[in-house]
Amino acid sequence: MGKENTIWFFEDTGGLKLGLPVENILYHGRSNYQDIYVLEVKDHGRALILDDCIQLTERDEFVYHELIAHPALFTHPCPKQVLVIGGGDGGSVREILKHKSVEHVDLVEIDAKVIELAKRYFPSISKDLDNERVSIHITDGTQYVKITDKKYDVVLIDSTDPIGPAKALYEINFHQDLVRIMKEDGIMILQSESPYYHADFIKKVKSQLQTIYPVVQIYTYAIPTYPGGMWSFIYASFKHDPLSVDEAAIKERWQGMKTKYYNPRVHKGVFLALPQFMLEE
Ligand code: SAM
């Protein structure tokens, strides 16, 4: 396709447009929850788009999935029971299962269509969804946390942006409900948007979490296909501080694990290298 008649997909935040040149539309449909595109795009492989927001591309999904999982799983001394809310593409599950101590992962995804499409179009990301250590629950995460009788060492909130079904995952009553199913030294990670464009939102969520957890820290990372190129997670724990881990011990556990972004230096770096505007926030 010549440059002049290239079709582009744009994620439009209202103040910024992020574009991907489309080579092929592999799927387009509307599930009970969201509008879904699977696109073949130039230089980034395939892309999953939910309600016109880029969720992931094959080229840079490793950044997000390694960093939602490994800082928590290496800070916890021996994570066994893990819960993922959202994450229907399977990327977080793939990273979690690299930890041999993990006995079981519950994946709670509201939209079965996302899992179906991830298996069909993103095999390198969804490959571990059928692993015997994984159980998939097709339900709303806000309901699951109210009814399960399980307790978790680590909980990853791997959700879409805080609008639509994901909005409730950022509200304080959901996080108060979540406490019931966390072990007393549990760790929770929350996808927390862009430090450039959502600073007030991050500040609000962080201060709400500080009413529940003694340890609450933000960490950031560079990811090309999210608006602004810099994204964040919030780390919250009843006990374990990600910066007080012993680097040599992490290095020992990390040896032999295949990662493309995470390493024992990055573990502390993502928490320590916060730009001044974030510290002042
Ligand atoms: N892991 C991807 C990435 O790299 O950013 C994006 C996250 S994943 C696609 C987000 C998932 O959260 C979606 O599949 C969406 O259906 C799911 N989700 C949104 N709200 C939810 C809720 N309340 N309970 C469970 N899953 C939810």
Side-chain angles (χ1 to χ4, degrees), residues 133-152:
R133 288 190 279 167
V134 179
S135 299
I136 294 177
H137 311 262
I138 302 297
T139 187
D140 189 326
T142 59
Q143 298 313 308
Y144 181 84
V145 299
K146 288 188 167 77
I147 57 168
T148 184
D149 54 7
K150 295 183 78 169
K151 294 265 184 192
Y152 295 96

Side-chain angles (χ1 to χ4, degrees), residues 33-34 48 50 54-57 60-61 64-65 68 84-92 108-112 114-115 125 137 139-143 158-161 163-169 191 221 223 226 231:
Y33 298 96
Q34 47 214 334
L48 175 66
L50 299 180
I54 300 168
Q55 297 299 308
L56 58 84
T57 77
D60 63 356
E61 57 82 12
Y64 176 97
H65 291 124
I68 195 172
V84 178
I85 294 179
D89 50 86
S92 297
V108 178
E109 165 57 63
I110 200 167
D111 193 345
V114 171
I115 294 177
I125 303 174
H137 311 262
T139 187
D140 189 326
T142 59
Q143 298 313 308
D158 178 8
S159 75
T160 37
D161 299 324
I163 44 181
K167 191 170 181 306
L169 303 175
Q191 188 276 105
Y221 52 97
I223 183 161
Y226 285 175
W231 218 247

